[in-house]
Coordinates of all heavy atoms in Angstrom, one line a residue:
A722 N 238.3 126.7 -12.1 CA 237.3 127.4 -11.3 C 237.8 127.7 -9.9 O 237.7 128.7 -9.3 CB 236.0 126.7 -11.2
E723 N 238.5 126.7 -9.3 CA 239.1 126.9 -8.0 C 240.2 128.0 -8.0 O 240.2 128.8 -7.0 CB 239.7 125.6 -7.4 CG 240.3 125.7 -6.1 CD 241.0 124.4 -5.6 OE1 240.7 123.3 -6.1 OE2 241.9 124.5 -4.7
L724 N 241.0 128.0 -9.0 CA 242.0 129.0 -9.1 C 241.4 130.4 -9.1 O 241.9 131.4 -8.5 CB 242.9 128.8 -10.3 CG 243.9 127.6 -10.2 CD1 244.7 127.4 -11.5 CD2 244.8 127.7 -9.0
M725 N 240.3 130.5 -9.9 CA 239.7 131.9 -10.0 C 239.1 132.3 -8.6 O 239.2 133.4 -8.2 CB 238.5 131.8 -11.0 CG 239.0 131.6 -12.5 SD 240.1 132.8 -13.1 CE 239.1 134.3 -13.0
R726 N 238.5 131.3 -7.9 CA 238.0 131.7 -6.6 C 239.1 132.1 -5.6 O 238.9 133.0 -4.9 CB 237.2 130.5 -6.1 CG 236.4 130.8 -4.8 CD 237.0 130.0 -3.6 NE 237.1 128.6 -3.8 CZ 237.7 127.8 -3.0 NH1 238.5 128.2 -2.0 NH2 237.8 126.5 -3.3
R727 N 240.2 131.4 -5.7 CA 241.3 131.7 -4.7 C 241.9 133.0 -5.1 O 242.4 133.8 -4.2 CB 242.3 130.5 -4.7 CG 241.7 129.2 -4.2 CD 242.7 128.1 -4.1 NE 243.6 128.3 -3.0 CZ 244.4 127.3 -2.5 NH1 244.4 126.1 -3.1 NH2 245.2 127.6 -1.5
L728 N 242.0 133.4 -6.4 CA 242.5 134.7 -6.7 C 241.5 135.8 -6.2 O 242.0 136.8 -5.6 CB 242.5 134.8 -8.3 CG 243.7 134.2 -9.0 CD1 243.5 134.3 -10.5 CD2 245.0 134.8 -8.6
L729 N 240.2 135.6 -6.3 CA 239.3 136.5 -5.7 C 239.5 136.7 -4.2 O 239.3 137.8 -3.7 CB 237.9 136.1 -6.0 CG 237.3 136.5 -7.4 CD1 235.9 135.9 -7.6 CD2 237.2 138.0 -7.6
E730 N 239.8 135.6 -3.5 CA 239.9 135.6 -2.1 C 241.2 136.3 -1.7 O 241.2 137.2 -0.8 CB 239.9 134.2 -1.5 CG 238.5 133.6 -1.6 CD 238.5 132.1 -1.2 OE1 239.6 131.5 -1.1 OE2 237.4 131.5 -1.1
R731 N 242.3 136.0 -2.4 CA 243.6 136.6 -2.0 C 243.7 138.1 -2.4 O 244.3 138.8 -1.6 CB 244.8 135.8 -2.6 CG 246.1 136.4 -2.4 CD 247.3 135.5 -2.7 NE 247.4 134.4 -1.8 CZ 248.3 133.4 -1.8 NH1 249.3 133.5 -2.7 NH2 248.3 132.5 -0.9
F732 N 243.2 138.4 -3.5 CA 243.3 139.8 -4.0 C 242.0 140.5 -3.9 O 241.6 141.3 -4.8 CB 243.9 139.8 -5.4 CG 245.2 139.2 -5.5 CD1 245.4 137.9 -6.1 CD2 246.4 139.8 -5.0 CE1 246.6 137.3 -6.3 CE2 247.6 139.3 -5.2 CZ 247.7 138.0 -5.8
A733 N 241.2 140.2 -2.9 CA 239.8 140.8 -2.8 C 239.8 142.3 -2.9 O 238.9 142.9 -3.5 CB 239.1 140.3 -1.5
A734 N 240.8 142.9 -2.2 CA 240.8 144.4 -2.2 C 241.2 145.0 -3.5 O 240.9 146.2 -3.7 CB 241.8 144.9 -1.1
E735 N 241.8 144.3 -4.4 CA 242.2 144.8 -5.7 C 241.3 144.5 -6.8 O 241.7 144.7 -8.0 CB 243.7 144.3 -6.0 CG 244.8 144.9 -5.1 CD 245.0 144.2 -3.9 OE1 244.3 143.2 -3.6 OE2 245.9 144.5 -3.1
V736 N 240.2 143.8 -6.6 CA 239.3 143.5 -7.7 C 238.6 144.8 -8.2 O 238.0 145.5 -7.4 CB 238.2 142.5 -7.2 CG1 237.1 142.3 -8.3 CG2 238.8 141.2 -6.8
T737 N 238.8 145.1 -9.5 CA 238.2 146.3 -10.1 C 237.2 146.0 -11.2 O 236.7 146.9 -11.8 CB 239.3 147.2 -10.6 OG1 240.2 146.4 -11.5 CG2 240.2 147.7 -9.5
G738 N 236.9 144.7 -11.4 CA 235.8 144.4 -12.4 C 235.7 142.9 -12.6 O 236.7 142.2 -12.5
I739 N 234.4 142.5 -12.7 CA 234.1 141.1 -13.1 C 233.2 141.1 -14.2 O 232.0 141.6 -14.1 CB 233.5 140.4 -11.9 CG1 234.5 140.3 -10.7 CG2 233.2 138.9 -12.3 CD1 234.0 139.6 -9.5
S740 N 233.6 140.6 -15.4 CA 232.7 140.6 -16.5 C 233.2 139.4 -17.4 O 232.9 138.3 -17.0 CB 232.9 141.9 -17.3 OG 232.1 141.8 -18.5

Side-chain angles (χ1 to χ4, degrees):
E723 180 185 337
L724 289 178
M725 294 302 296
R726 187 250 302 167
R727 296 183 75 164
L728 283 173
L729 278 175
E730 292 172 349
R731 174 166 290 186
F732 300 106
E735 286 90 356
V736 174
T737 52
I739 299 180
S740 176

